[in-house]
Amino acid sequence: MQPMSAGLREKVQALLPKFIVSCVTQPGPVGLFTLRALMIPMLVLIALGVHLCYLLCTRSKTFQMSNLLRTIGSIVLVIFIILFSMLLAPYQCNEHPNGKMTLKRYKTVYCNGADDHLAMLLIGGFACSMPIIFLVVVTWTVMLELPRRIARSDTQFLAACGFLIKRFRPGMEMASVFFLIRNACVALCPVVSNRPGQLLMMSIILYVNTVMVAFFQPWRFLICNVLDNVLLGGMMVILILGSIAVQESVPQEMSTVALVFLVLMGLCILGSICYGAYKYFQQKYRKQFRYFLCHQKNAAGSMARLLKMELEKRLPGTKTFIDCDDLNDLTRLFSYVGQDTQTFLVLCSPDILTRKWCVGEMVTAKANGVNTMLLTWPSFVFPDETFIAKYPTMVPDITELTKYGIGLEDVEDAFRWLTTVPHQPLPEQISPTSTHFMISSLVSDGRSSPIPKSTHQIQFDTNFPVLVDPANSEAVAAAMVLASLLKPALLGSNLPLPFIQLSGVEVPHEATRSLLICSSGCFKSEQLQTWLLEASCLPECCMIPVITEEAFEMPSEAFFMELQTTSKLTDNQFPAD
């Protein structure tokens, strides 16, 4: 960098007294521009003062740096375009018919590189470093530091950066850098000397922005992506009209069309605000889902399906959430729990705490105060301090939830909270009667509910039994779901309706067909062995196997040999060869 020349130094020294006087008394163009350039430092001081006053009023000894940074960052982000455009004012000139040029915003200042203009150029060039530094810091934070902090599960850092990333879908944090660079380019458009160049630069910015939003859909909510593209489309139409008006003199027609599009854009914004207000009050006073079933698919998928069918049957007009039915966007999973759910029901199978998404749902339910209930399997063990201490090594991928604002401390607190949540044990053997009692208890928020007398005696169509291992609750749930789905399809036909064969009851002699639910290890069940032997003795009974688990294996010859030695059935129960 070359040193300042003696002549330039003298001009600057001559301007300083004038500048100081103008700032103390009535500010001239230079003083006014300086006050505007000091906007960011003044806002920082105001935010710091408010924060210190809050600490004094609450008598808190903890200085919340993350809250202060989030406040300052949000302010700068909102006024970024205005601030940058204001600081670039000394570089924007208007040419007059007499050949002289003045600043667009400060019409009394000549664009001659001397006197007031020189002072404003120096002040503006120095002040422009503030938004540039802000852009550099944001880029470094999002591209380099944020992935490291996510890997370390640093939720405090994510909270400090919330003003940058919470508007976007997880994984689209780079969009904050893109939009900030776009805003800087928009602010630079007026610096271009000729009008066609300005229009071309602005058109390129809008086209790139439209393609980016349409392809990546970076905003957290779909309506925001739609609204963004609608507004960009309206701006491009108005820009095209402006470019035509530069070459052809048709101001009346162009103004009318531009006004129409401005009104349409305003109506779109108003409609989005109304829609957002409607969704807010709907989520607050009328939840979309009456129940949210948090479950481990391979251990409780069929049970979750059975509960969804029975809960919606018991409570007509309500909806129960299951991810495979209602989840189209994974990034909305936790918002469904925290905002759209009235009761959060956890199906506590033995390994559910090792599933990161289920744990994330539990943390979200706790953080948002959602009414929560547990349905515990007989082999489920509540987490203790030893389990909590070893959890990061047992489930290393739990740190991936950090990008959703969920840290290890939140997970540990949620595990301790689970022990205080009302829970109901799952019956050791699932049957239509026990299921009815279980649903009644869940509907009454865990309080015991007497079973109506009409459900004590279950009437069956005895020609179509469904045989299932009664000790396998997941297989029994799958059988009940299958029977419920088959009954509407068989109504009105000459075929019998299926029913679940109860433990300890013989296969009906009138049975003409039967469903065999093939689950892992089912043929080791003594009850199922008995039913198979009884069904094999019925000459007209047709057996239809239904495989419900991917891990199921057809029995081999060695299995039959082992079964003859280990089975508790007596010899006279085996049919003769």
Side-chain angles (χ1 to χ4, degrees):
M1 183 176 179
Q2 295 182 353
M4 185 181 298
S5 64
L8 183 59
R9 188 183 301 112
E10 291 177 359
K11 291 181 179 180
V12 173
Q13 290 175 354
L15 288 171
L16 283 177
K18 181 180 178 181
F19 163 68
I20 295 173
V21 172
S22 65
C23 288
V24 175
T25 60
Q26 184 179 0
V30 178
L32 184 61
F33 177 72
T34 304
L35 290 176
R36 291 175 177 175
L38 293 175
M39 182 180 292
I40 288 183
M42 287 190 294
L43 290 175
V44 171
L45 292 176
I46 292 172
L48 180 60
V50 171
H51 188 70
L52 292 177
C53 291
Y54 171 78
L55 294 179
L56 290 175
C57 294
T58 58
R59 297 182 180 180
S60 175
K61 297 181 180 179
T62 305
F63 186 81
Q64 298 289 341
M65 180 59 72
S66 61
N67 293 339
L68 181 61
L69 291 176
R70 187 165 62 245
T71 301
I72 295 173
S74 300
I75 294 173
V76 176
L77 199 64
V78 169
I79 64 173
F80 185 83
I81 294 182
I82 299 174
L83 178 67
F84 208 0
S85 301
M86 185 175 58
L87 296 179
L88 292 171
Y91 303 92
Q92 303 174 29
C93 300
N94 271 334
E95 186 175 358
H96 298 280
N98 59 3
K100 294 184 178 181
M101 293 188 298
T102 58
L103 295 182
K104 291 181 179 180
R105 297 189 181 181
Y106 304 88
K107 301 185 183 302
T108 60
V109 179
Y110 288 101
C111 293
N112 53 10
D115 301 327
D116 289 349
H117 188 219
L118 175 61
M120 295 176 71
L121 286 173
L122 294 174
I123 295 170
F126 177 77
C128 283
S129 62
M130 291 186 289
I132 293 174
I133 290 173
F134 179 75
L135 176 59
V136 172
V137 171
V138 168
T139 304
W140 170 79
T141 300
V142 173
M143 295 185 64
L144 299 177
E145 192 62 21
L146 187 62
R148 296 177 192 154
R149 297 302 183 101
I150 290 177
R152 292 189 305 206
S153 190
D154 189 348
T155 53
Q156 290 186 351
F157 183 81
L158 263 71
C161 300
F163 70 98
L164 286 175
I165 61 179
K166 281 193 174 180
R167 300 171 295 157
F168 305 105
R169 296 188 295 110
M172 289 302 301
E173 292 81 6
M174 273 297 298
S176 60
V177 178
F178 170 81
F179 285 117
L180 203 58
I181 294 174
R182 178 206 63 182
N183 294 345
C185 294
V186 169
L188 287 170
C189 283
V191 179
V192 180
S193 58
N194 55 74
R195 204 163 279 184
Q198 295 175 0
L199 293 172
L200 176 62
M201 183 175 179
M202 194 66 186
S203 299
I204 294 174
I205 294 172
L206 293 179
Y207 284 127
V208 172
N209 193 359
T210 303
V211 172
M212 186 265 183
V213 173
F215 185 77
F216 293 103
Q217 298 185 1
W219 300 106
R220 185 174 289 269
F221 299 105
L222 177 62
I223 188 174
C224 296
N225 294 299
V226 174
L227 178 63
D228 197 354
N229 268 337
V230 168
L231 296 181
L232 288 171
M235 292 174 64
M236 284 189 290
V237 171
I238 295 174
L239 199 64
I240 293 171
L241 295 176
S243 64
I244 296 174
V246 171
Q247 301 175 357
E248 301 180 11
S249 179
V250 282
Q252 183 65 35
E253 294 79 356
M254 297 299 176
S255 299
T256 303
V257 177
L259 181 61
V260 170
F261 275 90
L262 284 174
V263 171
L264 291 176
M265 292 165 64
L267 290 176
C268 289
I269 295 174
L270 181 61
S272 300
I273 294 174
C274 294
Y275 177 78
Y278 165 75
K279 294 295 291 184
Y280 170 78
F281 287 108
Q282 183 188 42
Q283 292 170 355
K284 187 174 182 179
Y285 299 107
R286 187 178 182 275
K287 302 295 185 181
Q288 181 178 357
F289 300 105
R290 177 65 176 83
Y291 289 94
F292 184 107
L293 301 184
C294 172
H295 66 287
Q296 179 186 357
K297 287 186 178 60
N298 59 348
S302 298
M303 182 60 68
R305 175 63 60 186
L306 176 63
L307 290 176
K308 175 182 172 71
M309 296 170 61
E310 294 297 327
L311 287 170
E312 292 182 351
K313 186 187 303 181
R314 185 69 63 87
L315 300 172
T318 64
K319 192 173 182 181
T320 299
F321 180 96
I322 288 186
D323 50 8
C324 58
D325 291 349
D326 305 292
L327 186 62
N328 297 320
D329 184 359
L330 184 61
T331 60
R332 288 217 59 200
L333 176 63
F334 298 141
S335 66
Y336 280 134
V337 177
Q339 301 172 9
D340 299 324
T341 298
Q342 182 174 341
T343 301
F344 181 67
L345 179 59
V346 185
L347 308 189
C348 295
S349 53
D351 296 327
I352 190 172
L353 298 182
T354 62
R355 299 300 186 266
K356 62 181 180 182
W357 296 114
C358 297
V359 173
E361 294 166 1
M362 298 175 197
V363 173
T364 305
K366 175 183 179 298
N368 290 273
V370 181
N371 180 41
T372 304
M373 298 175 59
L374 308 181
L375 183 63
T376 57
W377 267 235
S379 54
F380 175 76
V381 178
F382 282 93
D384 54 13
E385 292 300 327
T386 303
F387 177 86
I388 294 174
K390 295 180 179 179
Y391 190 76
T393 57
M394 295 169 53
V395 188
D397 61 344
I398 195 66
T399 56
E400 295 179 13
L401 295 178
T402 306
K403 66 177 68 175
Y404 299 93
I406 299 175
L408 287 175
E409 294 181 358
D410 302 318
V411 173
E412 294 171 358
D413 292 341
F415 285 164
R416 297 185 182 97
W417 166 74
L418 282 180
T419 59
T420 65
V421 173
H423 65 277
Q424 175 183 340
L426 184 74
E428 293 186 3
Q429 287 195 357
I430 303 297
S431 66
T433 302
S434 63
T435 301
H436 179 91
F437 179 78
M438 178 175 61
I439 296 299
S440 300
S441 181
L442 293 176
V443 169
S444 59
D445 293 332
R447 297 184 297 272
S448 301
S449 179
I451 305 175
K453 294 181 179 180
S454 59
T455 62
H456 284 281
Q457 299 296 330
I458 302 177
Q459 298 179 354
F460 303 116
D461 187 323
T462 58
N463 293 336
F464 197 174
V466 180
L467 309 181
V468 58
D469 180 6
N472 189 334
S473 59
E474 183 68 1
V476 176
M480 294 180 67
V481 170
L482 180 60
S484 297
L485 294 176
L486 283 175
K487 285 178 182 178
L490 296 178
L491 285 174
S493 67
N494 295 325
L495 298 175
L497 300 180
F499 69 94
I500 306 300
Q501 184 74 19
L502 298 181
S503 180
V505 179
E506 294 184 358
V507 175
H509 298 288
E510 298 84 359
T512 57
R513 56 183 52 79
S514 174
L515 289 178
L516 174 62
I517 305 300
C518 299
S519 58
S520 181
C522 64
F523 293 117
K524 295 181 180 180
S525 168
E526 181 179 347
Q527 179 63 78
L528 192 62
Q529 294 173 14
T530 302
W531 284 336
L532 289 175
L533 290 174
E534 292 172 355
S536 65
C537 297
L538 302 177
E540 298 183 359
C541 185
C542 172
M543 186 70 65
I544 306 172
V546 178
I547 299 176
T548 60
E549 297 181 12
E550 293 182 359
F552 173 77
E553 295 181 358
M554 295 298 294
S556 60
E557 196 69 30
F559 174 81
F560 287 122
M561 298 297 294
E562 178 186 357
L563 190 62
Q564 288 186 347
T565 59
T566 59
S567 177
K568 296 180 181 180
L569 299 179
T570 58
D571 291 339
N572 57 3
Q573 290 179 285
F574 284 92
D577 293 336

